[in-house]
Amino acid sequence: MMLGAVVASAETRQQYGGTLHVTMRAALMTLDPAELDPALPDSIGRRAVSMLMFDTLVTLDENLRIQPGLAMAWQTSAGNQRWQLQIRPGVKFHDGTALSAEVAASSLRAANPGWKVSTEGDSVVIVRDSSDPELLAELALPRNSIVKRNPNNAFSGTGPFHTADWQPGKKLALAAEENCWRGRPFVDAVEIEMGKNSYEQVTAIESGKADLIEVVPEQVHHFSHEGRRIANSKPMELIALLFTRDAATPAEKLLREALARSVDRGSIHRVLLQGTGQPAASLLPNWMSGYGFVFPIDADLPRARQAREQVRSVPSWTVGYDSSDPMARLLAERIALNAKDAGLSLQPTTAANVDIKLVRIALASPDPWVALVEIAAFTGTAPGKESETVEDLYASERALLATDRIVPLFHLPVTYAGSTNLNDWVLRPDGSWNLGDAWLGTPVIAGK
Amino acid sequence: MMLAFAMAAQAADWSGPEQQLARKIFAVTGPGPAVVTVENRSTLGRRGSEVIQNGLQSALQALGMRLVKNEQAANTVVISLSENPASYVWVAEIRPSSGENAVVMVAAPRPENSTTHESVPMSLHKISLWTQNSQILDVAVLEEGAAPARIAVLDTERISIYRMQAGKWQTEQTLGIVHARPWPRDLRGRLVPAKDHLLDIFLPGLVCRGTAGAGSGFSINCRESDDPWPLVPSALSGGNFASSPGSTSVTIPPVTAFYTSTRNFFTGVLTPAVGKPTTVSKFYSAAFLPLETSLLWLFAATDGHLHMLDGVSDQITKLNWGSDVASVKTSCGAGWQVLTTSAEKASGDQVRAYEFPDRDPIAVTAPIDFAGAVTALWTEPKGDTAIAVVRNRDTANYEAFRLALSCSQ
């Protein structure tokens, strides 16, 4: 009997050719990076897809240093209020037209209607209302990709792949861009199957129909034991309870405090999440802020009950979860049990109109200020910013938590599994995969 | 195999953030007695954290705080040495015996990367030549005495000349390389010192001629061209060499190979031909060894196989080798060895030397490890050493090494 086992070949130089097959859970309805689908919030998968076709003016490296992208150089003046970015010459869009400062400015205006964006020679000039030292980190966000929007509602990018076939919500086929300014990618094509649940994704990679899939926490150990190539991002997703409105009375604030103290994050982390990620009482993960550990994560039932007992009338809250996420249901049910121990009543539901939502927030950026601003947007607030110090960041995060609109629960990494012949796929600091340099090698069947 | 590592950690000056944090703590606690503990939650080493702990305690005492060990103190201060990607973050949680807890913190900039020097055992040595952030394609040693004294470094957009002065490399000149078309990914390039001018630069679809000008300056003249790249080091080209002492010598022709302008491999077209075949499979790299009566060519083909050509037959072998091979002629063993990369370790590539008695590769050195992927491996012009370029997985820097074989163990 021949027992075939796939082992990695020893080729160390990249090979050209082949089609790379990817599956993902998100079902994107638009490819325009600036057009966020209200029904489908930002996701790390969406960012990864966007960066296959588009580029940003600057990028963030793994040490969060700003690196040149479509902008070769930049300078700031007026106390970080005015930014001038010099556009890289010689770059062409997929439709063959040249990248210019005017097109870049138009793209940024479309993505950020509140920004003052103009041009000056071969440069884009951005003037903010106040000092904005995080502007470059914001420009590195995929939603600020430079897009050429053509009159027929089509758009063109400068990324390593151009669109070959697009079936919204289902499938995206991309072809290698021969004249990409960063060099033609190694693979000839990328095909992305969307809207695939975790079972379908596992089946796809095990049957050789996918080269790269997303892995949910309960599958991580399974894939690790199989010897597949697993890649974990740093924790870039925040799971949290988000109240859908502000606390109207001091009594309601007390009940929210009781709920926050009742959640046994440690037990949920061990059992349901099987140790993946980290329990969190902070909005920003510790790796990003450096101070996350000062927020206590342990459940404190006595104080939760104490807070609950100060309120005479306790309403029953509904907590909504995403019906397409099996983990979300389990989490919601477990949190409801914890809340019950504190004398609170939570009803998990998939209905849209709820008191609390169990949300999974893809942190917008590894830059802590940018990430915090985006989290704040979920709560309808904007964090104050006196300076750029870590202490100011901490104060802003505490202030956001003090609104009692959001209860952090966990920070989760994003995990992917790759086929053994998929090489040099890397994760960006924001957790999305980067396939620009990926290549397909020849799997070797070993063992007889 | 024994590996010895010596870490040369640079001493960092933490006094600024130490005093800054001490002042913030003191502003909350005042001068009363306090229990102060320090916990390291960062990648700082034990020694580093002890240095900081002592510095913080001294700074607090200098402000007038009395540090005590009993728990009767007015304040308990727990200092955590943490970090985020941008900096170290030192957090003090102040717990007074009565009243609200307080948290103060400072960011402490990270010192420059410490450097690691590895002593290489056995007979294959790597000698560090150059390190930089941007991709190195090749390094050529232009002048040397006991050690390289003047080098040329080719990266993706420029060539730079450096001279060793007072123990440090000083930039002599940097010239940009203008190219109309985008470079291919996995860009490769070669620096080939020439006899009648300083050097030639081979890049995909581009050839540049570097000439020395008046004084120490030099200039380059680039043109779009698919001129073939040399496969044989200049010192060996056209020479007669024997496979081993006492055997018949064979001539090594100045073989060149055409390189694709949009990919990362040679097309397989050789000039002059290697025996009968004028074309071989597309390949990433080539090496050669004199046999008894002929020259054996090794081509690391793009299909992952090693093709061995002796001018007549093409023997195809699948070896667990990487895609870069380079010949060296030495005074060790059979006199000719082939260096090759392999990727057996997740942490980085290895390079090892082989000889080919009876056309079967036999490892003649232990592999030497690199802290990342080998992105280039070229034989140097004299033919007795090779240049290896590595992308360090930890620092993301590109590091160029000279690889040399030593007969002594």
Side-chain angles (χ1 to χ4, degrees):
Chain A
M1 186 177 97
M2 191 177 96
L3 185 65
V6 180
V7 298
S9 60
E11 295 133 355
T12 56
R13 191 117 249 149
Q14 296 91 330
Q15 292 184 338
Y16 282 86
T19 297
L20 201 166
H21 297 271
V22 182
T23 60
M24 59 192 292
R25 181 166 166 264
L28 309 183
M29 299 308 292
T30 173
L31 298 178
D32 188 340
E35 189 185 324
L36 283 178
D37 182 349
L40 194 69
D42 186 24
S43 71
I44 289 171
R46 177 192 169 97
R47 296 175 201 166
V49 170
S50 182
M51 297 309 285
L52 289 173
M53 296 171 284
F54 305 102
D55 291 305
T56 48
L57 291 181
V58 294
T59 61
L60 279 179
D61 70 12
E62 56 265 36
N63 296 315
L64 305 194
R65 291 174 303 207
I66 301 291
Q67 299 292 340
L70 292 178
M72 293 176 71
W74 50 87
Q75 57 185 17
T76 178
S77 57
N80 292 323
Q81 204 171 337
R82 183 184 190 276
W83 290 85
Q84 183 165 351
L85 299 103
Q86 187 188 352
I87 298 299
R88 184 179 294 276
V91 177
K92 289 189 174 173
F93 285 100
H94 299 157
D95 66 4
T97 58
L99 170 68
S100 65
E102 285 75 18
V103 177
S106 169
S107 175
L108 291 175
R109 277 193 292 266
N112 305 278
W115 287 10
K116 291 173 195 154
V117 187
S118 59
T119 61
E120 207 174 283
D122 62 352
S123 296
V124 170
V125 176
I126 303 170
V127 179
R128 307 289 282 126
D129 293 336
S130 58
S131 172
D132 190 359
E134 306 302 321
L135 181 78
L136 292 178
E138 284 185 70
L139 289 175
L141 296 174
R143 73 152 186 260
N144 285 322
S145 296
I146 301 304
V147 182
K148 186 180 175 222
R149 292 175 174 83
N150 294 318
N152 58 354
N153 217 19
F155 37 77
S156 188
T158 57
F161 296 92
H162 62 259
T163 310
D165 182 29
W166 167 227
Q167 299 169 33
K170 293 179 182 172
K171 184 180 175 182
L172 173 64
L174 300 165
E177 180 63 24
E178 294 294 334
N179 297 312
C180 173
W181 65 280
R182 287 186 193 271
R184 182 209 194 268
F186 295 108
V187 295
D188 292 335
V190 177
E191 288 188 7
I192 302 169
E193 300 274 349
M194 298 176 180
K196 299 293 179 189
N197 63 36
S198 56
Y199 173 78
E200 290 169 323
Q201 295 200 44
V202 170
T203 305
I205 199 167
E206 291 189 337
S207 62
K209 290 178 181 169
D211 299 298
L212 184 62
I213 66 165
E214 299 158 334
V215 177
V216 294
E218 58 267 35
Q219 293 170 336
V220 170
H221 293 297
H222 165 72
F223 275 100
S224 301
H225 290 140
E226 276 201 338
R228 287 192 186 276
R229 297 181 188 179
I230 297 277
N232 278 306
S233 73
K234 289 217 168 83
M236 276 302 288
E237 284 191 326
L238 168 66
I239 294 185
L241 293 172
L242 183 69
F243 286 88
T244 53
R245 59 178 177 81
D246 287 331
T249 62
E252 194 173 351
K253 282 181 87 74
L254 276 172
L255 292 177
R256 291 185 183 193
E257 180 194 330
L259 175 61
R261 291 189 189 280
S262 74
V263 180
D264 185 356
R265 295 173 177 85
S267 159
I268 296 173
H269 177 247
R270 280 190 304 277
V271 178
L272 294 184
L273 298 176
Q274 298 189 15
T276 301
Q278 292 155 358
S282 62
L283 297 167
L284 298 175
N286 188 69
W287 73 266
M288 196 185 281
S289 69
Y291 58 68
F293 58 88
V294 303
F295 296 88
I297 56 168
D298 294 333
D300 189 345
L301 266 183
R303 289 186 67 181
R305 287 180 186 136
Q306 194 182 18
R308 148 71 188 86
E309 283 162 6
Q310 292 179 55
V311 179
R312 191 175 299 168
S313 171
V314 178
S316 176
W317 283 327
T318 49
V319 55
Y321 61 89
D322 179 358
S323 60
S324 68
D325 182 352
M327 179 59 69
R329 183 179 63 84
L330 295 173
L331 286 173
E333 288 171 352
R334 189 62 180 259
I335 291 163
L337 281 176
N338 289 159
K340 190 177 177 188
D341 290 341
L344 300 167
S345 173
L346 250 67
Q347 299 297 324
T349 174
T350 56
N353 193 11
V354 290
D355 301 305
I356 307 168
K357 284 180 182 171
L358 179 67
V359 292
R360 186 186 282 252
I361 300 173
L363 299 179
S365 167
D367 180 284
W369 274 112
V370 176
L372 192 64
V373 168
E374 297 287 325
I375 295 170
F378 272 84
T379 66
T381 60
K385 193 172 176 184
E386 298 298 322
S387 66
E388 287 308 304
T389 65
V390 68
E391 203 158 27
D392 194 27
L393 181 73
Y394 169 72
S396 295
E397 181 168 351
R398 277 189 65 108
L400 193 50
L401 286 168
T403 63
D404 291 315
R405 283 289 303 269
I406 187 165
V407 180
L409 299 173
F410 304 97
H411 289 122
L412 294 185
V414 191
T415 305
Y416 305 94
S419 63
T420 51
N421 62 328
L422 177 60
N423 299 280
D424 291 349
W425 54 286
V426 292
L427 300 187
R428 293 190 185 87
D430 72 355
S432 62
W433 35 252
N434 179 0
L435 302 180
D437 289 322
W439 55 282
L440 293 164
T442 313
V444 179
I445 307 299
K448 282 188 178 181
Chain B
M1 186 174 78
M2 279 179 54
L3 283 174
F5 292 93
M7 184 73 79
Q10 292 175 343
D13 180 9
W14 303 109
S15 59
E18 283 166 358
Q19 287 169 20
Q20 199 185 349
L21 184 61
R23 281 195 295 272
K24 287 188 175 183
I25 294 169
F26 192 76
V28 177
T29 64
V35 176
V36 176
T37 58
V38 177
E39 186 181 349
N40 182 18
R41 292 171 172 266
S42 70
T43 52
L44 276 166
R46 186 179 159 191
R47 192 173 160 200
S49 67
E50 284 172 355
V51 167
I52 294 163
Q53 179 173 352
N54 292 336
L56 284 167
Q57 288 174 344
S58 299
L60 288 166
Q61 285 171 325
L63 289 169
M65 180 183 278
R66 192 157 57 85
L67 305 185
V68 295
K69 291 188 175 174
N70 64 57
E71 295 184 357
Q72 300 304 314
N75 294 288
T76 300
V77 181
V78 179
I79 300 174
S80 298
L81 307 181
S82 181
E83 63 190 336
N84 63 28
S87 61
Y88 291 111
V89 178
W90 299 350
V91 182
E93 296 170 84
I94 303 162
R95 297 165 189 154
S97 53
S98 62
E100 288 281 304
N101 290 356
V103 175
V104 294
M105 62 187 77
V106 297
R110 292 176 190 276
E112 290 299 308
N113 284 334
S114 57
T115 53
T116 304
H117 302 286
E118 186 180 329
S119 75
V120 180
M122 307 293 285
S123 55
L124 189 56
H125 298 258
K126 59 181 181 187
I127 300 145
S128 179
L129 287 177
W130 187 254
T131 298
Q132 65 182 38
N133 291 329
S134 56
Q135 184 182 357
I136 300 172
L137 303 180
D138 196 9
V139 172
V141 177
L142 303 175
E143 294 174 23
E144 65 182 313
R150 191 173 180 232
I151 59 172
V153 178
L154 176 65
D155 65 32
T156 57
E157 301 296 338
R158 63 194 66 82
I159 179 170
S160 303
I161 309 287
Y162 300 94
R163 182 177 288 281
M164 179 66 79
Q165 286 177 331
K168 287 185 177 175
W169 288 111
Q170 307 285 347
T171 308
E172 207 172 74
Q173 199 169 354
T174 296
L175 294 172
I177 294 171
V178 178
H179 55 102
R181 287 190 300 187
W183 291 132
R185 290 179 192 242
D186 189 27
L187 176 64
R188 304 172 72 191
R190 288 217 64 181
L191 287 175
V192 181
K195 287 175 182 167
D196 57 345
H197 54 280
L198 188 66
L199 51 78
D200 290 314
I201 305 168
F202 291 88
L203 288 157
L206 195 76
V207 172
C208 305
R209 180 185 170 95
T211 51
S216 60
F218 91 113
S219 59
I220 57 171
N221 181 20
C222 299
R223 61 189 164 87
E224 288 198 14
S225 166
D226 65 348
D227 284 359
W229 297 18
L231 295 185
V232 178
S234 54
L236 306 180
S237 180
N240 293 308
F241 298 94
S243 63
S244 58
S247 60
T248 313
S249 62
V250 294
T251 302
I252 300 177
V255 176
T256 59
F258 288 89
Y259 192 90
T260 54
S261 60
T262 57
R263 298 287 189 271
N264 59 349
F265 50 78
F266 293 90
T267 61
V269 178
L270 306 175
T271 175
V274 177
K276 285 183 183 172
T278 56
T279 304
V280 297
S281 296
K282 290 178 288 190
F283 64 92
Y284 291 119
S285 61
F288 55 90
L289 298 159
L291 296 179
E292 287 294 320
T293 57
S294 63
L295 200 62
L296 179 68
W297 278 90
L298 310 173
F299 296 97
T302 57
D303 61 9
H305 292 95
L306 185 75
H307 290 244
M308 291 195 272
L309 270 78
D310 59 7
V312 180
S313 65
D314 182 358
Q315 181 185 339
I316 301 170
T317 309
K318 179 72 186 174
L319 297 171
N320 194 25
W321 282 12
S323 51
D324 286 286
V325 294
S327 321
V328 284
K329 182 188 181 309
T330 68
S331 56
C332 303
W336 292 86
Q337 289 82 25
V338 171
L339 306 181
T340 181
T341 55
S342 66
E344 293 184 5
K345 293 178 69 173
S347 56
D349 286 356
Q350 297 179 325
V351 173
R352 193 169 201 176
Y354 290 82
E355 291 183 356
F356 278 72
D358 302 323
R359 302 188 185 207
D360 286 326
I362 303 291
V364 293
T365 69
I368 55 171
D369 295 330
F370 290 95
V374 174
T375 57
L377 182 69
W378 304 112
T379 306
E380 288 199 85
K382 289 182 183 170
D384 56 350
T385 51
I387 296 289
V389 179
V390 176
R391 185 173 192 263
N392 188 302
R393 208 161 279 198
D394 299 323
T395 65
N397 284 335
Y398 284 83
E399 301 166 346
F401 297 92
R402 168 179 276 178
L403 303 185
L405 269 160
S406 169
C407 308
S408 58
Q409 294 295 305

